[in-house]
Amino acid sequence: MKRYDLMVVGAGPSGLSAAIEAAKRGLKVAVFDENAKPGGQLFKQIHKFFGSKEHKAKIRGINIGKALLREADEAGVEVFLNATVTGMFLEKEITVRQEDGMHHYKGDSIIVATGAAENMVPFEGWTLPGVIGAGAAQTMMNLYGIKPGDRILMLGSGNVGLVVSFQLLQAGCEIAAIVDAAPKVGGYGVHASKVARCGVPFYLGHTITKAEGTDKVTGVTIHAVDDHFNPVAGSEKHFDVDTICIAVGLSPMSQLLKMGGCAMEDNPKRGGQVPLIDDNGETSVEGIFAVGDVAGIEEASSAMIEGRMAGVCAAQYLGYCDAADKKAALEKLEEDLSSLREGMFAPQNKGKAITETDEGIPISESLLTRGYLDDKEVVAYPGFTHQMGVHPVIECTQNIPCNPCQDACPKHCIRIGKTITALPAVDSDATCVGCGMCVASCSGQAIFLVDESAEPDKAAITMPYEFLPLPEKGDMGMALSRSGEALCPAKVVLVKTSKAFDHTALLTMTVPAEMADRARFFRPDEKQKEVQ
Amino acid sequence: MKRIRNHPILGEPEKGPKVTFTFDGKPMEGYQGEPIAMALKAAGVMIHRYTAKRHEPRGIFCAIGRCTDCVMVVNGVPNIRTCVTPLEEGMEVRTQDGVTALEVKA
């Protein structure tokens, strides 16, 4: 039997972070993961993360993953892959299934970071090939370069459903609709908006009643649901699709903790069966910690901080650092964590109906029920201004913990202030130089540069563009509205790419001046598309 | 075309060398090291197995080795999770019927 100071179960964002902090303090650390590669789900996250600099905001998940692996390597963390932890026993002993058989390991402390599993929802035909989890779609397209389908219906409008829908569009798939039984979009409004403006319709208050097909999915039927989530007769709609993607939440994979004797609770706010933990992730069993999604469903940014906190605590528990070092490290981490847990989507606000922003502006109903801001509503927000010359228009309308735009502008046109969840405001006195750094830095793709009189009777709109083929200067196409409706012909006048934009191209199109406040996306003419 | 040739964020997918394997006796191509299920998906194969009792088709569902819906008979061994098993040159992959290989009429 091998011994370690600390054994970490799971090499995802939280597990690796925990291992790094402990190893840096001198602990002999082993991380076990059942997968062939470390990093958990980070390497499937190709979008830019929210938060502030401390949370690695505006960096794509894949790059956060790469940095974390480097850090773990430098800290001397030993990672066992293809190693499934099958049991956790008294006295911090675990059994691990590895390629050559079962092995016993014993630790002086354990950090469980097993993550979560996808929830599923059964409906007629749900076992047909072609019905997949949203995670499966991410795995196929972002890890292995395989399109999950040609035409897809997404069930679930939480952040996973919205983010994966956008990624499917990026992979060249078509999204027939996003369907959710809830009456309102569950995820961030900015995630919904960037999908909606591509023309994807939202069906809130609807559910799948049947996956059609005999050998594989050929279509899907949805129904509106009543207040008790029962299908309403006569409300059915049909879509021809070859794939149905399910994104209806996650459940903690906490079985090991239960087996190890940790006190558990059933907590719907945390996603199901979770261990009772203190502020630093320690369970009811001294020296056993739980971090990341297994301790309550959140997201990777907070999971990484939780991991680091538990890593520090494990080090102090075993005498590898003193109480003062622990206190100093935890203070900083707690500050980072609490700023991530603020705003409308914070854990404490789960299930609450929020009707206005911290600034006292009514929350857009259109955004919550149709996925996009109504043209009339958007003017109420502090990021929306009319100015002479080029200027940013920020369509960020919910209080979420994110502020890279404020740091991105070299001319200080954008103000969020100390409160990370405040809505960004455009300062009309500052002079925008049209560099586009704010457009590229916005993880929600909610910033546009607008020049209302770029040419006589024409406005120029600059938008973030993350699709291929990348249009070229001179290309003609359609300007689309926030809802993805074709508005008017548009001409591409500039396409900027830069290493600093990290694969977000900035596309500038000209449209008739009266469309300046409405045109928010560009669809190339079909002819140009065929060249792909 | 099921393979993404160029991705706006990820660029061209990294691939191992091309290998040949068989699916129910038919030769197919894939890339070494990618999960068997991905090579099948790229070739348009949707059905991985039929259930034992009701003979219902199953395919990829979770793609991360948890659900076991995608298991097949690989090199004569049943219940191989094709979504997490790397493809190798010359592999014999068969549709699973219950717990044995499906008999395919030539």
Side-chain angles (χ1 to χ4, degrees), chain A residues 183-248:
Chain A
K184 287 176 179 175
V185 171
Y188 288 176
V190 285
H191 278 321
S193 297
K194 68 184 189 188
V195 179
R197 77 173 80 108
C198 294
V200 175
F202 282 65
Y203 289 89
L204 278 303
H206 281 72
T207 194
I208 297 180
T209 39
K210 187 181 179 185
E212 300 155 14
T214 47
D215 279 345
K216 59 182 181 188
V217 172
T218 55
V220 60
T221 307
I222 67 169
H223 274 81
V225 293
D226 62 20
D227 293 344
H228 302 287
F229 296 106
N230 293 316
V232 176
S235 67
E236 70 177 66
K237 288 181 187 69
H238 163 87
F239 298 90
D240 285 326
V241 295
D242 57 22
T243 304
I244 296 168
C245 209
I246 303 177
V248 292

Side-chain angles (χ1 to χ4, degrees), chain A residues 321-398:
Chain A
C321 71
D322 58 23
D325 175 19
K326 170 177 155 180
K327 188 163 174 269
L330 287 184
E331 262 173 25
K332 174 78 184 80
L333 290 166
E334 275 161 13
E335 193 187 313
D336 291 348
L337 187 58
S338 64
S339 72
L340 269 185
R341 286 179 175 160
E342 281 165 19
M344 290 173 49
F345 293 86
Q348 63 271 22
N349 286 330
K350 222 173 191 177
K352 268 189 213 164
I354 291 173
T355 53
E356 56 179 44
T357 70
D358 294 345
E359 291 80 2
I361 306 164
I363 297 288
S364 162
E365 268 301 304
S366 172
L367 186 61
L368 293 175
T369 55
R370 291 177 292 183
Y372 56 89
L373 290 162
D374 185 273
D375 293 341
K376 289 187 202 74
E377 292 171 328
V378 69
V379 298
Y381 297 94
F384 190 95
T385 61
H386 287 281
Q387 291 177 42
M388 288 297 287
V390 64
H391 61 95
V393 169
I394 310 182
E395 307 197 348
C396 178
T397 64
Q398 296 172 327

